[in-house]
Amino acid sequence: MNWETRYIVLLWLSLVAMLPFDLAQFDRGNPGSTFERLEAAGKTNLDKAGLEREGAALLLTRLYARIAIGTLHMLSETTKSGSGVKEADLAPIHNLLEAVRSNTVLTSNTLVRKWATKLEGRLGLCELPPPRTRQAKGKHLQPTTGQPPGHGVHSEVDFDVPDSIENTIENLLTALQDRDTIVRWSAAKGLARVAERLPEEYASQILETVIGLFSIHAFDGAGGVQDLPPASEATWHGATLACAEIARRGLVGDEQLPELIDWLKRGLYFDIRKGAHSIGSNVRDAVCYVLWAMARAQGKESFGPFSLEMARRLVTVSVFDREVHSLFPHGIDIIRKADFFAVSGRRSAFTLAAPQVAEHEEYRDFLVNHLLTVSLKHWDPALRQPAAVALRKICEEDLFTLGPACAAKVAVFLRSIDSNEVHGGLLALAEIADAYKQSKAPSAEAHRLKVCCFPPLSQYSMSLKVSIVQIFEYIVNTPPSVFSRYKNDLILESACIGLANTLSKDALALKNIKTPWKDIVMAGIKHRTEGVPEAAALAMRAASELFNCSADLER
């Protein structure tokens, strides 16, 4: 057997060692023979100088990890209830955990780290007194009569906290930042259970430390998360899960609530580009879990001041992020409009659910702000396009108030060095301009009832013209260098569509512009990317309705 064959066989056997079945069922009447044969195959090839040694090492690592996983699982179940575990038995188990952690081969296995984390938390519980009935803060916590307010389960009980608990908490905090979700989830639950049994002061310190994990990879909020490293996802997700478990047990003090809420606001917009996709949906889901837990456990007096703002943010994220499913003002109506079927597809979420939710003024500004600061600047063009349509449909709720304001804000994007922002701004301007073109004068009855902020009927047409010319001016005052950037096809296409929607005699009479509209259109006609010449043709058709364009085309 040549070395290539031996190497492949060893890799295949290492996969067999990972099967979640008892190897004894393959023994064929000879107990332990399968394990022994696999072990012998690995040991025989450890002294080889080629790749066989790597395959043998991998086989033995996965084979021995099965033993470690089984041992840790058994000890975790034994210490789960805490009853029957003597104090003298804890020290050897702690020593075993330290040995496992110091073995980099074993800790490379996710299940080993998971069960080690579970065992760590349960050992900590064995060294602490059992939990008592918690103070009533929210309607879902059981009241305890005759006790002063406090959020620690042992706030009046004085006892000596074992020194080993400090190491337990430190190890659980480290596990919160593990690269695998199942390890972070086990650490979050274990940390919250330990905090539940500690005095109030200690529990507050644990929460303060967990909140401090957010600052390791801090960002400003909406639109400012793109620069974070991918590793920040694990830290944010673990810290958020721990906050949720701690909040669910009513351990968040009123003085810590504002700081936690501030970080949760940012977490709702956690989205990092990683290659050709985004990561961070688990962080956003975990933030919703924290808010659900606090709504159940916190008192109305402490959580009430934050409820409306968080409801606005949750509704905004729920319609613009189909990965997150989260009581709001107009709750029944909002849930009906933004149900699973409405937000399960990106286009329907943006173009149907969002405009319907925007009918309620409590959410309109937040929806618009999210589109302007996040969606229109997103790295994925497939998200920027429906975002522009969504902005247009929301503006149509009050076109002559929202339209000019939003157009002025997205016009700033056109001077950005980020091509994504420029494209998002041009798309939004094109959509708003088309909304103006399709707008019809309101009926006298609608104007009398002031359904929206319409201009006087006698000035309606003039207001439309002025608004459209303004958008044309925004487009042609885009710096010329923008249209000559590398991979400028999306920018040229959206600019030509915007010109097609805004060309008029009044627009052509403008002076002192940075980029002549003809230069943009001709660049689009000559472009080789599909879709760009078609968009330029639309602009030329709009121009041909105003004057004879044959000379420009022949040239």
Side-chain angles (χ1 to χ4, degrees):
M1 185 184 297
N2 57 31
W3 71 267
E4 295 95 337
T5 305
R6 291 195 300 271
Y7 177 56
I8 296 300
V9 170
L10 288 168
L11 288 180
W12 182 81
L13 290 175
S14 70
L15 295 175
V16 172
M18 294 178 64
L19 293 175
F21 305 110
D22 189 355
L23 293 178
Q25 59 185 305
F26 305 109
D27 287 346
R28 296 183 180 180
N30 187 8
S33 62
T34 303
F35 183 90
E36 292 171 357
R37 291 166 64 189
L38 289 173
E39 185 180 32
K43 289 181 176 179
T44 302
N45 290 277
L46 273 179
D47 59 350
K48 299 290 193 301
L51 286 175
E52 306 103 297
R53 181 170 58 194
E54 294 185 15
L58 183 62
L59 168 59
L60 292 174
T61 297
R62 291 176 174 174
L63 195 62
Y64 294 148
R66 294 176 66 97
I67 301 176
I69 293 170
T71 303
L72 292 171
H73 192 168
M74 179 269 296
L75 292 173
S76 295
E77 294 299 327
T78 303
T79 56
K80 185 173 183 178
S81 62
S83 59
V85 181
K86 299 179 180 179
E87 186 175 350
D89 298 331
L90 298 179
I93 301 178
H94 276 299
N95 294 335
L96 174 64
L97 269 179
E98 288 301 319
V100 169
R101 287 200 180 89
S102 61
N103 191 319
T104 56
V105 174
L106 288 178
T107 53
S108 64
N109 187 287
T110 302
L111 291 177
V112 170
R113 298 198 309 278
K114 169 193 171 183
W115 288 110
T117 301
K118 282 185 177 291
L119 181 57
E120 184 76 64
R122 290 170 182 176
L123 284 176
L125 298 182
C126 291
E127 299 180 76
L128 294 172
R132 293 169 36 170
T133 305
R134 297 196 294 274
Q135 284 299 124
K137 294 182 79 176
K139 61 182 180 180
H140 293 278
L141 295 181
Q142 296 296 325
T144 301
T145 57
Q147 295 182 1
H151 63 75
V153 293
H154 287 287
S155 54
E156 319 90 9
V157 180
D158 186 17
F159 67 94
D160 293 330
V161 178
D163 294 336
S164 58
I165 291 298
E166 184 176 347
N167 289 330
T168 296
I169 294 173
E170 183 178 350
N171 290 329
L172 290 174
L173 287 169
T174 301
L176 279 181
Q177 304 172 65
D178 193 273
R179 64 177 181 268
D180 289 306
T181 301
I182 58 174
V183 181
R184 299 194 295 268
W185 183 232
S186 298
K189 291 186 290 187
L191 194 63
R193 288 168 181 155
V194 170
E196 189 178 24
R197 299 192 181 196
L198 289 171
E200 178 178 341
E201 180 183 356
Y202 284 84
S204 296
Q205 290 177 5
I206 290 176
L207 178 58
E208 183 179 348
T209 305
V210 171
I211 294 176
L213 294 177
F214 293 122
S215 61
I216 297 177
H217 300 289
F219 67 101
D220 294 335
V225 71
Q226 296 289 339
D227 296 333
L228 293 183
S232 62
E233 179 197 25
T235 303
W236 269 79
H237 186 234
T240 309
L241 285 177
C243 289
E245 290 295 325
I246 291 172
R248 194 166 66 89
R249 291 164 172 80
L251 304 178
V252 179
D254 293 348
E255 69 281 357
Q256 295 172 303
L257 196 57
E259 183 182 6
L260 178 56
I261 289 290
D262 182 60
W263 286 110
L264 295 178
K265 291 176 187 176
R266 308 183 198 188
L268 281 174
Y269 301 101
F270 192 95
D271 184 28
I272 303 176
R273 182 175 182 176
K274 187 178 181 181
H277 66 284
S278 310
I279 59 174
S281 61
N282 55 349
V283 176
R284 302 192 297 273
D285 284 343
V287 172
C288 294
Y289 179 28
V290 183
L291 293 172
W292 171 85
M294 289 197 299
R296 291 169 61 87
Q298 296 297 127
K300 183 183 295 186
E301 297 78 12
S302 60
F303 192 65
F306 307 100
S307 59
L308 178 58
E309 181 182 4
M310 297 312 297
R312 289 168 171 167
R313 293 180 183 272
L314 283 170
V315 169
T316 300
V317 174
S318 67
V319 295
F320 292 138
D321 182 355
R322 66 177 185 172
E323 299 291 343
V324 179
H325 303 288
S326 341
L327 280 140
F328 322 114
H330 309 289
I332 295 177
D333 197 26
I334 295 298
I335 292 173
R336 177 183 62 81
K337 293 174 178 177
D339 62 9
F340 173 77
F341 297 102
V343 301
S344 59
R346 178 181 294 166
R347 182 160 293 277
S348 64
F350 275 76
T351 62
L352 296 177
Q356 290 178 0
V357 172
E359 294 174 3
H360 304 285
E361 293 187 4
E362 294 92 335
Y363 304 107
R364 187 180 298 162
D365 289 344
F366 270 75
L367 292 170
V368 169
N369 185 63
H370 184 91
L371 289 170
L372 293 174
T373 58
V374 179
S375 303
L376 286 173
K377 298 180 179 180
H378 200 271
W379 62 268
D380 188 357
L383 191 67
R384 298 196 294 268
Q385 291 167 349
V389 177
L391 184 64
R392 173 229 179 112
K393 290 182 175 292
I394 294 175
C395 286
E396 287 175 343
E397 292 290 326
D398 192 356
L399 188 57
F400 286 91
T401 300
L402 293 175
C406 289
K409 290 178 180 178
V410 296
V412 178
F413 297 0
L414 307 186
R415 299 190 294 273
S416 173
I417 61 173
D418 186 351
S419 296
N420 296 331
E421 288 190 30
V422 176
H423 179 234
L426 289 170
L427 282 174
L429 290 174
E431 289 292 339
I432 295 173
D434 191 52
Y436 284 131
K437 286 180 63 178
Q438 304 299 328
S439 176
K440 297 179 179 179
S443 64
E445 181 66 16
H447 199 280
R448 182 181 66 82
L449 295 175
K450 294 185 178 179
V451 177
C452 289
C453 298
F454 294 122
L457 289 176
S458 59
Q459 303 176 14
Y460 189 84
S461 298
M462 181 57 66
S463 298
L464 278 179
K465 290 181 180 180
V466 171
S467 300
I468 293 174
V469 170
Q470 181 63 72
I471 293 178
F472 177 87
E473 188 173 3
Y474 288 145
I475 296 174
V476 296
N477 278 312
T478 303
S481 59
V482 168
F483 300 103
S484 58
R485 290 178 183 175
Y486 176 65
K487 290 188 176 180
N488 62 346
D489 52 324
L490 294 176
I491 292 177
L492 276 175
E493 181 182 4
S494 53
C496 289
I497 294 174
L499 291 173
N501 292 336
T502 56
L503 275 169
S504 65
K505 292 182 179 179
D506 294 326
L508 295 177
L510 289 175
K511 305 294 183 182
N512 300 322
I513 59 177
K514 291 183 179 180
T515 308
W517 69 271
K518 286 185 181 180
D519 292 354
I520 301 173
V521 175
M522 296 310 296
I525 290 176
K526 297 174 183 178
H527 209 280
R528 296 182 178 182
T529 303
E530 183 180 359
V532 180
E534 289 82 354
L538 291 176
M540 192 57 73
R541 185 180 69 177
S544 65
E545 295 175 358
L546 302 174
F547 62 92
N548 188 351
C549 299
S550 56
D552 296 297
L553 294 176
E554 290 173 0
R555 178 167 58 86

